[in-house]
Amino acid sequence: MVLNVILGILVLSIIVIVHEFGHFIIAKANGITVVEFSIGFGPKLIHFRKGETEYCIKALPFGGACTMLGDEFLEMSVIQSEEDDDEELTDEEKETKKRKLAIENGYDMEKSFASKSVWARIAVIAAGPVFNFLLAFVCAVVIVGSLGYDPCDIDVVKDNSPATEAGLQEGDVITKVNGHKVTFYRDFYFYRAYNADKTLNITFTRDGEKMTTTVTPQHIKQQKYQVGIMMNENCLISSVTKDSPAEKAGLKANDVIKAVDGTAMENSSNVTVEPKMVEVESYDTGFVVYGDRVKTSPIGTLKYSVEEVGYSVKTVIQSLGMLFTGKIGFDSLLGPVGTVSTMSEIVEESKADGAFYVFLNLMNLAALISANLGVMNLLPIPALDGGRLVFLIIEALRGKPVKREHEGIVNFIGMILLVILMVVVLFKDIMALF
């Protein structure tokens, strides 16, 4: 389990390093001095200087920073000196002290972030999220190149069902549903998960010919016995339904079932669970898509890898929309602790399939998290890259920057709200571990 957590932290750290490296390399390319490039937060564990930059690994392994020469860096130095001197400086005295600090430390203010053109600064800020998308693409190339992609091919059509009435056949490939592009089976699955009762206007191909039809899902009510667990192939319980017989019997997520009624299973505690009769409602389309992966050509690998990044970005944006509309709950949010815990679970679940599949599953999750980080950082939220880009774009349009005090107030408020959200999510993640 410790090794699983270490692997999770390593993968998450790589994603952060790539993001900060994007800022770093584009800043260097534009002649901006990078004062510090750090991985993690808190006290420095390892640090060394090369050229004008200090490289650090810090105690807390989540996050990182690319600190560039500029007003923010010098402002922090001035604030620190105020604390040491126990005096408050005027704005003019602060500016004078900043310049003095820059000279004392051998910094050339012509190489500061603020001294560069607005387009150079936009490129530097946007580079972090862009590099996250590039990392997601590289991960996708490995996954699609190894396993292929999952087209939305119809594998089973039930007799006397809505699908047969609509004229669908086995082998048809769904390419669009209710105006939403379907490249992968997951596109269709994600849409159906939150729109189960909707009539489906489907575009599909059959023998290379494009066709359309409409499927009206059949509303079904039935009674069945359920214990309230979801399992993967190696008998590891992935989730337990709240107030279900399984929960009352003491079963938990990540338990591994060893035996049922004395019959040995492939893979922890043997408990007695009495199934409960429940009424289940569902909307049946009458067709089944398994989502099996299909190998593709090298050109196809590149094409579908780009589509994979697009799918991840689209899923993040749609999930954010559903979070604000209440379709999904706050519990769906994961912070660093929850992310590492999820990675650890994936490693544990994949071990039975071998090291290669552990690697591929981690790559798959890394691609999703990296794309997620890219999208989140581009949101126009103060204190994030997206918030800084908003101010820079306004500057580019109006020909002069927004007043520093106004930008500072907005960023300060945004940072406070962001820290509160991070603390709440962190608390939720930690409580979920117990």
Side-chain angles (χ1 to χ4, degrees):
M1 182 60 73
V2 174
L3 178 61
N4 298 351
V5 172
I6 291 173
L7 281 173
I9 292 174
L10 180 62
V11 172
L12 192 59
S13 297
I14 290 171
I15 293 169
V16 173
I17 289 171
V18 168
H19 178 93
E20 297 302 334
F21 182 74
H23 293 311
F24 174 85
I25 199 68
I26 302 302
K28 290 280 192 181
N30 280 281
I32 298 171
T33 295
V34 177
V35 178
E36 181 181 285
F37 184 84
S38 60
I39 304 302
F41 291 109
K44 297 175 184 177
L45 298 179
I46 302 171
H47 62 102
F48 63 91
R49 179 174 291 278
K50 185 175 181 182
E52 61 192 11
T53 306
E54 183 178 22
Y55 299 87
C56 309
I57 297 177
K58 299 185 177 181
L60 301 176
F62 306 116
C66 173
T67 307
M68 291 168 275
L69 179 63
D71 288 334
E72 290 180 6
F73 168 71
L74 294 172
E75 186 74 46
M76 290 307 298
S77 300
V78 169
I79 290 171
Q80 185 61 51
S81 70
E82 282 185 39
E83 291 174 353
D84 294 340
D85 297 338
D86 194 29
E87 63 176 286
E88 187 173 342
L89 303 177
T90 66
D91 289 343
E92 186 176 344
E93 288 172 330
K94 283 183 181 180
E95 290 301 321
T96 302
K97 196 155 190 174
K98 285 181 193 177
R99 304 302 160 184
K100 185 180 177 182
L101 282 168
I103 294 170
E104 287 176 355
N105 288 279
Y107 294 126
D108 179 2
M109 291 308 292
E110 294 300 316
K111 298 178 71 176
S112 70
F113 178 79
S115 70
K116 302 304 176 181
S117 71
V118 66
W119 296 109
R121 284 177 280 147
I122 287 174
V124 171
I125 298 303
V130 169
F131 268 58
N132 279 130
F133 296 137
L134 289 175
L135 175 60
F137 171 74
V138 170
C139 292
V141 168
V142 174
I143 295 164
V144 177
S146 301
L147 301 176
Y149 74 106
D150 52 324
C152 195
D153 295 351
I154 296 178
D155 292 291
V156 176
V157 175
K158 302 174 186 176
D159 294 333
N160 303 316
S161 69
T164 54
E165 291 177 9
L168 289 173
Q169 297 178 11
E170 293 176 6
D172 291 345
V173 182
I174 298 173
T175 58
K176 189 178 289 186
V177 55
N178 289 354
H180 296 269
K181 181 182 176 183
V182 175
T183 301
F184 307 115
Y185 154 72
R186 286 161 290 153
D187 288 305
F188 180 75
Y189 178 82
F190 187 85
Y191 180 82
R192 282 278 295 150
Y194 297 100
N195 300 277
D197 59 338
K198 285 190 176 180
T199 297
L200 306 176
N201 296 310
I202 294 174
T203 301
F204 63 97
T205 59
R206 179 184 297 164
D207 299 326
E209 182 181 353
K210 182 178 177 180
M211 306 174 73
T212 60
T213 190
T214 300
V215 176
T216 303
Q218 181 181 3
H219 184 212
I220 297 174
K221 277 187 178 183
Q222 59 183 152
Q223 291 187 323
K224 59 171 64 174
Y225 286 99
Q226 291 187 342
V227 296
I229 60 173
M230 293 286 290
M231 284 195 306
N232 62 19
E233 292 178 358
N234 54 6
C235 297
L236 186 142
I237 297 174
S238 57
S239 64
V240 178
T241 304
K242 186 175 177 58
D243 298 325
S244 66
E247 185 184 62
K248 292 175 181 176
L251 288 170
K252 296 180 179 179
N254 297 321
D255 286 348
V256 180
I257 296 178
K258 292 286 190 180
V260 175
D261 288 339
T263 303
M265 297 290 104
E266 230 5 85
N267 291 303
S268 271
S269 303
N270 189 11
V271 298
T272 301
V273 180
E274 183 178 345
K276 180 181 178 182
M277 175 70 79
V278 296
E279 186 173 79
V280 178
E281 291 189 60
S282 62
Y283 290 87
D284 184 30
T285 59
F287 66 88
V288 180
V289 179
Y290 293 141
D292 294 334
R293 286 186 174 263
V294 176
K295 290 276 192 175
T296 185
S297 65
I299 297 298
T301 296
L302 296 177
K303 172 190 171 184
Y304 288 112
S305 295
V306 172
E307 295 280 4
E308 283 279 0
V309 178
Y311 168 79
S312 297
V313 170
K314 180 177 67 176
T315 302
V316 172
I317 294 172
Q318 289 177 342
S319 297
L320 283 171
M322 289 189 288
L323 184 66
F324 285 111
T325 58
K327 277 192 172 183
I328 59 176
F330 179 77
D331 289 345
S332 302
L333 288 178
L334 287 180
V337 172
T339 301
V340 169
S341 177
T342 299
M343 287 183 174
S344 174
E345 291 172 13
I346 287 175
V347 171
E348 191 64 36
E349 292 174 15
S350 304
K351 281 181 179 177
D353 299 319
F356 181 62
Y357 284 94
V358 170
F359 169 72
L360 288 180
N361 280 322
L362 281 175
M363 290 287 280
N364 187 45
L365 190 57
L368 181 59
I369 293 171
S370 193
N372 189 311
L373 184 61
V375 173
M376 295 301 291
N377 267 278
L378 285 176
L379 294 177
I381 298 173
L384 295 181
D385 292 336
R388 299 183 71 182
L389 284 172
V390 169
F391 285 109
L392 289 171
I393 292 169
I394 291 173
E395 179 181 341
L397 292 174
R398 69 200 292 256
K400 59 179 181 179
V402 176
K403 287 186 178 181
R404 283 179 51 205
E405 55 266 33
H406 295 166
E407 182 177 351
I409 291 170
V410 172
N411 282 331
F412 178 75
I413 294 172
M415 180 61 76
I416 294 297
L417 294 175
L418 199 60
V419 168
I420 292 172
L421 178 62
M422 289 172 64
V423 169
V424 171
V425 173
L426 178 63
F427 178 77
K428 178 187 71 68
D429 286 349
I430 292 173
M431 292 303 294
L433 298 177
F434 300 98

